[in-house]
């Protein structure tokens, strides 16, 4: 995992749509600055403060470098800001 990520993305690898979308994002320039955490298989501690597995699997979440957690549309915007494509 990136030791100093611009943000951390929590995704559900058990979801086929999520898997495809995250695979696309991970190929984009800038993706190396993002920490990608598979909420379906990671240790619960990898989810960090304020996020449990059931919430992480129910909705898309992103934690910014300052630790703020956003979900849904706000989370997608957070990812798009970091990936220039």
């Amino acid at each position: 995992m990136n030791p100093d990520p611009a943000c951390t993305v929590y995704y559900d690898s058990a979801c086929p749509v999520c898997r495809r979308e995250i695979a696309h994002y991970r190929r984009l320039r800038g993706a190396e600055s993002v920490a990608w955490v598979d909420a379906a298989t990671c240790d619960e501690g990898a989810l960090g403060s304020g996020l449990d597995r059931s919430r992480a699997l129910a909705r898309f979440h992103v934690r910014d470098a300052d630790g703020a957690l956003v979900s849904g549309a706000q989370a997608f915007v957070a990812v798009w800001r970091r990936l220039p494509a």
Side-chain angles (χ1 to χ4, degrees):
M1 184 186 303
N2 184 339
D4 217 5
C7 69
T8 302
V9 171
Y10 303 96
Y11 67 95
D12 180 359
S13 67
C15 166
V17 173
C18 301
R19 258 195 330 268
R20 281 191 300 274
E21 188 155 6
I22 294 302
H24 168 74
Y25 290 149
R26 291 182 82 163
R27 288 189 296 268
L28 297 177
R29 186 171 45 95
E32 67 281 351
S33 71
V34 175
W36 305 94
V37 176
D38 179 359
T41 63
C42 71
D43 293 334
E44 187 90 17
L47 299 174
S49 171
L51 184 62
D52 62 35
R53 189 175 315 280
S54 63
R55 281 184 57 215
L57 296 176
R59 189 172 167 113
F60 186 62
H61 289 79
V62 171
R63 189 179 309 275
D64 70 19
D66 296 331
L69 187 65
V70 295
S71 66
Q74 289 180 317
F76 282 101
V77 170
V79 171
W80 298 336
R81 283 187 180 144
R82 282 152 185 88
L83 302 178

